[in-house]
Amino acid sequence: MAQRGKGKDLVIAIDGPAGAGKSTIARLVAARLGLRYIDTGAMYRALTLKALRSGVDCDDAAGLIELLARSKFEFPVASSPENQAILLDGEDVSAQIRLPEVSQKVSRVAMVPQVRRELVRSQRELAAQGGIVMDGRDIGTVVLPEADIKIFLTASLEERARRRFLELQQKGIPATLDEVKREIAARDKLDAEREVSPLQAAPDAVIIDTTALTPAEVVAQIIHLCCERGEG
Ligand code: DC
């Protein structure tokens, strides 16, 4: 039997601000190591989408909690982590959760303590079997403080906005670079200043500034780290 925390049981936590490259890197690392990939931001986004569809205000904590109690999030087994989808109540909402109206509201939803408590509980359940790369804002600090490897990705605001802008363009979602930059700056502020689990690196996280690095270079650093610790 594999030793806990080694090889296919490995648990990797990747945190960082919007646009730092978390999901790209997490998917690639998961693919390289044959691990599952869970995007926890997608859960906050899916709840935000459901609130927008249901007419529940994103500042209405009681309404959100009630909505969450009636929501089911699933990450179906994917052919590869690159294609990992999220289902909300059985519907694939992977594309809709990236819409600007969701991005604008999601930080408010993620500020509600009871929403966080419930989603953190689900995230721990998803990771309980090990063999996972999980990305978010509080994975190394709150969700999986015992993770084998903790990475905190950063990049300059300009670079993060540029990446998010290109991503939206590729998906045909209209937005200007300036709008994206303002939205990311506003989200950074809310995520860093919220009372419950503000965005911060775990004391034992390895911080990687991805501003001038390609995804392949970042992945190589993480794989190197896993090997160095005898966990690759
Ligand atoms: O990574 P993302 O842009 O998809 O995250 C969407 C929002 O969800 C972001 O504003 C912060 C929040 N979030 C969080 O508070 N905790 C997580 N573990 C993941 C995301």
Side-chain angles (χ1 to χ4, degrees):
M1 205 173 92
Q3 197 184 330
R4 176 78 188 91
K6 304 279 175 188
K8 296 284 177 222
D9 281 348
L10 198 60
V11 173
I12 302 180
I14 300 186
D15 291 301
K22 295 184 302 291
S23 81
T24 305
I25 301 303
R27 283 172 206 267
L28 291 169
V29 169
R32 276 281 292 277
L33 299 176
L35 307 175
R36 283 191 75 203
Y37 165 60
I38 299 289
D39 170 4
T40 61
M43 298 167 85
Y44 290 95
R45 284 174 176 273
L47 179 62
T48 305
L49 177 69
K50 187 160 172 170
L52 292 172
R53 284 176 173 178
S54 323
V56 171
D57 196 289
C58 290
D59 291 316
D60 171 7
L64 289 170
I65 294 152
E66 204 260 322
L67 208 56
L68 184 55
R70 292 188 280 112
S71 303
K72 192 169 170 206
F73 307 103
E74 290 164 284
F75 292 91
V77 175
S79 56
S80 132
E82 268 108 337
N83 308 321
Q84 182 64 64
I86 179 165
L87 307 187
L88 168 65
D89 304 328
E91 175 195 350
D92 185 344
V93 292
S94 312
Q96 285 94 320
I97 61 167
R98 304 287 156 200
L99 290 171
E101 48 269 41
V102 175
S103 300
Q104 278 155 21
K105 295 283 183 182
V106 64
S107 284
R108 309 215 74 88
V109 171
M111 281 170 73
V112 178
Q114 295 96 319
V115 165
R116 299 202 68 82
R117 200 176 312 136
E118 194 49 38
L119 288 184
V120 166
R121 196 187 54 75
S122 310
Q123 290 155 12
R124 286 186 181 142
E125 266 173 28
L126 285 164
Q129 299 302 311
I132 204 161
V133 180
M134 190 171 265
D135 81 6
R137 300 291 192 289
D138 57 346
I139 309 305
T141 48
V142 176
V143 181
L144 306 173
E146 306 296 323
D148 301 300
I149 305 268
K150 296 180 188 177
I151 306 290
F152 192 87
L153 297 180
T154 61
S156 68
L157 174 63
E158 281 68 27
E159 177 61 15
R160 291 188 288 125
R162 194 187 66 83
R163 290 177 189 167
R164 197 43 67 88
F165 174 67
L166 290 177
E167 201 180 299
L168 291 174
Q169 265 196 329
Q170 271 167 13
K171 290 181 181 154
I173 300 174
T176 67
L177 180 58
D178 226 47
E179 275 165 8
V180 175
K181 194 168 155 185
R182 263 183 281 130
E183 183 250 308
I184 289 188
R187 213 133 63 81
D188 278 358
K189 192 164 152 51
L190 285 175
D191 292 343
E193 290 178 356
R194 70 170 173 240
E195 261 172 52
V196 185
S197 314
L199 171 68
Q200 58 186 28
D204 52 347
V206 174
I207 298 173
I208 303 177
D209 184 337
T210 71
T211 307
L213 299 177
T214 63
E217 288 169 329
V218 181
V219 171
Q221 282 195 26
I222 297 173
I223 301 289
H224 180 73
L225 200 70
C226 294
C227 294
E228 231 178 38
R229 298 194 183 172
E231 289 165 340

